[in-house]
């Protein structure tokens, strides 16, 4: 089916891109969400502002205890990025299994977050990692946590004149992490992230895909994580992937599996 | 080889975008509508109908082509984004005389029934086998999990790809 007509704007600087954005001229990167929404008639922007040529939105670097990932970086590149493999391998392992190989070659990390797809693997793990994002508008820049950004299904708390420039993940020496998911269709039924920084006594659990937004909690020890308790804390959305009762059940199962997997990984 | 065709400019609508794309080794220059997606460009503008279209949701994989060696869903890939890139379609696998080893293997293993999904499976498999590591069966299954065969002939498809991988492992690249 043909897409509705739109103009294509391809700025090469962030300032230029910011000047182009309006309610009807929207950011465009990989298109894995936006073009589908446009084809379905859910969006009909006058113009797409392609962000792929803006240097500030590319690259991966580490500094000041943070891993900083440019918003336009594609999942396939993040899955194999040497710095991510070295400093945050759990993130690379999660990226390696998003969607399918084509989606990973087209979709960007920033686009994934901006669309706030309720079944996003990325958002679940980033929330557990206490990651934040940088949003830039003509008025300035602000940093918000992924938890603050993703407020509802397909709803990110971002103004139309803002561009998500990068994702910032705090780095922890000796961090161990596991991300497991149950998936029979193109999107997961449940995704569970568990992270442990034993030296700091910092433990996090994130559960996504079952409900409208991912949820994450802190714990004082791994022993405090009770899979049945977690299953009662989530708010599942009944859909083709299963009923509320079923989703609570698989949540408990996958919390157990995530904890078991964590015992097998050293990073 | 270079081919350049100046097309009549659209009378209305957003400005067209100039693109130069290497398609199976042939450089093609066109003015396309911003909304042109790669699969329509290949099939309708260039007449390369080997690439099929089905779900238009990036789920089924029949429209898979390689852009600079990487598999993408041509149904959801703007032609404008292929500007300056090399695109390989199923037509680019064979020189017209000799089948590509994957095509040979698909024939030998009866890895197709109706054949509609075959171009997508071939291109996905080519991307995998062109990678740095020769994949094992598990890697093949995982890589192809985003492609749907409505005739459900998955076993022979995986066997066909595995066969080529084994030959690569045993050969000079192994």
């Amino acid at each position: 089916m043909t897409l509705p007509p739109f103009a294509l704007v391809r700025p090469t600087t962030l300032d230029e891109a910011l000047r182009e954005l309006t309610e009807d001229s929207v950011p465009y990167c990989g298109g894995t969400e936006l073009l589908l929404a446009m084809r379905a008639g859910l969006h009909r922007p006058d113009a797409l502002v392609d962000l792929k040529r803006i240097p500030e939105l590319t690259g991966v670097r580490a500094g000041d205890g943070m891993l900083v990932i440019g918003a336009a970086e594609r999942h396939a590149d993040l899955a194999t990025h040497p710095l991510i493999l070295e400093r945050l391998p759990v993130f690379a392992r999660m990226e390696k299994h998003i969607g399918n190989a084509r989606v990973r070659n087209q979709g960007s990390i920033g686009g994934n977050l901006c669309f706030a797809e309720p079944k996003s693997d990325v958002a679940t793990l980033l929330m557990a990692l206490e990651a934040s994002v940088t949003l830039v508008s003509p008025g300035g820049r602000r940093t918000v946590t992924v938890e603050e950004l993703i407020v509802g299904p397909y709803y990110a708390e971002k103004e139309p004149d803002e561009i998500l420039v990068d994702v910032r993940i705090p780095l922890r020496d000796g961090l161990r992490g596991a991300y497991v998911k149950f998936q029979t269709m193109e999107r997961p039924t449940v995704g569970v992230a568990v992270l442990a920084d034993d030296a700091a006594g910092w433990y996090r659990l994130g559960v996504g895909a079952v409900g409208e937004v991912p949820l994450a909690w802190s714990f004082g020890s791994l022993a405090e994580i009770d899979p049945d308790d977690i299953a009662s804390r989530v708010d599942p959305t009944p859909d083709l992937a299963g009923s509320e009762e079923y989703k609570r059940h698989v949540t408990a199962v996958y919390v157990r599996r995530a904890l078991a997997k964590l015992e097998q990984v050293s990073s | 080889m270079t081919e350049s065709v100046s097309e009549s400019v659209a009378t209305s609508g957003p400005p067209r975008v100039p693109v130069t794309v290497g398609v199976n080794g042939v450089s093609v220059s066109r003015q396309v509508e911003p909304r042109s997606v790669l699969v329509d460009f290949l099939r309708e503008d260039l007449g390369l109908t080997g690439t099929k279209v089905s779900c238009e949701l990036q789920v089924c994989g029949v429209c898979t082509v390689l852009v600079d060696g990487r598999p993408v869903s041509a149904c959801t890939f703007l032609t404008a984004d292929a500007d300056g890139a090399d695109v390989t379609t199923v037509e680019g696998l064979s020189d017209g005389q000799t089948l590509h080893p994957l095509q040979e293997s698909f024939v030998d293993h009866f890895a197709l029934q109706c054949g509609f999904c075959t171009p997508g499976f071939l291109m996905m498999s080519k991307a995998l086998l062109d990678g740095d590591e020769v994949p094992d069966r598990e890697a093949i299954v995982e890589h192809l999990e985003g492609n749907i065969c409505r005739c459900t002939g998955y076993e022979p498809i995986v066997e066909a790809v595995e066969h080529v991988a084994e030959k690569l492992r045993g050969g000079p690249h192994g």
Side-chain angles (χ1 to χ4, degrees), chain A residues 13 49 107 154 163 175 179 195 197 202 210 217 229 237 242 255:
Chain A
T13 68
V49 180
Y154 308 104
I163 292 176
L175 181 78
Y179 180 76
L195 303 161
D197 178 350
W202 179 93
V210 285
W217 303 274
D229 173 50
T237 309
V255 170

Side-chain angles (χ1 to χ4, degrees), chain A residues 31-234:
Chain A
T32 56
E33 308 263 12
L34 179 62
L35 297 181
L36 301 189
M38 287 169 64
R39 191 176 268 140
L42 301 170
H43 265 307
R44 193 158 177 177
D46 294 335
L48 303 191
V49 180
D50 186 1
L51 304 180
K52 290 192 286 292
R53 299 174 182 201
I54 302 171
E56 280 111 312
L57 270 65
T58 63
V60 179
R61 60 190 188 278
D64 296 332
M66 291 274 179
L67 186 72
V68 182
I69 302 173
E73 289 293 330
R74 296 175 293 181
H75 302 298
D77 294 325
L78 298 177
T80 55
H81 197 285
L83 190 60
I84 300 179
L85 287 170
E86 183 199 332
R87 302 299 299 270
L88 200 61
V90 64
F91 192 78
R93 295 195 293 265
M94 177 277 296
E95 287 282 7
K96 189 165 183 254
H97 297 284
I98 286 182
N100 58 52
R102 297 179 304 278
V103 168
R104 292 193 291 274
N105 278 330
Q106 293 175 244
S108 68
I109 183 172
N112 185 294
L113 292 175
C114 288
F115 270 84
E117 153 67 56
K119 300 190 178 191
S120 162
D121 299 306
V122 177
T124 304
L125 180 55
L126 286 178
M127 238 181 238
L129 285 163
E130 298 182 320
S132 53
V133 298
T134 306
L135 298 170
V136 178
S137 72
R141 57 176 63 210
R142 64 186 177 119
T143 304
V144 299
T145 63
V146 172
E147 210 158 352
E148 292 164 331
L149 179 75
I150 298 183
V151 292
Y154 308 104
Y155 181 51
E157 189 73 65
K158 179 181 92 62
E159 299 302 322
D161 66 349
E162 283 182 312
I163 292 176
L164 196 161
V165 170
D166 60 41
V167 178
R168 295 169 174 262
I169 309 170
L171 288 169
R172 294 172 165 274
D173 288 335
L175 181 78
R176 292 182 295 134
Y179 180 76
V180 295
K181 61 176 169 175
F182 175 58
Q183 187 165 341
T184 57
M185 292 181 284
E186 63 268 19
R187 294 196 171 84
T189 301
V190 64
V192 177
V194 61
L195 303 161
D197 178 350
D198 297 303
W202 179 93
Y203 300 92
R204 291 277 290 175
L205 181 83
V207 178
V210 285
E212 294 196 333
V213 290
L215 297 169
W217 303 274
S218 295
F219 295 90
S221 73
L222 289 174
E224 282 179 20
I225 301 174
D226 173 0
D228 295 319
D229 173 50
I230 299 300
S232 71
R233 291 197 208 184
V234 295

Side-chain angles (χ1 to χ4, degrees), chain B residues 11-163:
Chain B
T11 50
S12 63
R16 290 190 167 226
V17 183
V19 294
T20 298
V21 189
V23 181
N24 300 327
V26 180
S27 179
V28 179
S29 294
R30 288 284 195 283
Q31 300 275 337
V32 299
E33 280 191 84
R35 64 174 166 172
S36 162
V37 291
L38 190 54
V39 75
D40 293 339
F41 178 72
L42 293 167
R43 290 176 55 87
E44 287 163 31
D45 295 8
L46 305 184
L48 295 172
T49 54
T51 306
K52 308 304 180 200
V53 201
S54 181
C55 76
E56 298 189 279
L57 291 167
Q58 299 193 314
V59 169
C60 76
V62 305
C63 69
T64 304
V65 301
L66 307 187
V67 175
D68 287 334
R70 299 164 74 135
V72 302
S73 295
C75 72
T76 315
F77 191 97
L78 294 188
T79 307
D81 281 338
D83 183 32
D86 286 317
V87 173
T88 312
T89 71
V90 70
E91 287 92 345
L93 286 183
S94 161
D95 61 7
Q97 300 295 322
T98 316
L99 290 179
H100 184 279
L102 272 167
Q103 292 172 311
E104 284 273 8
S105 191
F106 269 56
V107 172
D108 292 345
H109 289 83
F110 299 99
L112 61 152
Q113 292 178 56
C114 83
F116 194 78
C117 69
T118 310
F121 271 103
L122 285 169
M123 300 318 288
M124 281 300 281
S125 303
K126 176 173 164 54
L128 182 67
L129 295 177
D130 286 348
D132 294 335
E133 285 171 31
V134 180
D136 58 13
R137 187 180 177 88
E138 192 187 341
I140 294 166
V141 169
E142 192 185 300
H143 182 78
L144 295 177
E145 71 188 1
N147 285 57
I148 293 172
C149 168
R150 185 61 187 81
C151 311
T152 70
Y154 295 107
E155 279 294 319
I157 292 171
V158 172
E159 281 163 19
V161 180
E162 215 180 352
H163 178 74

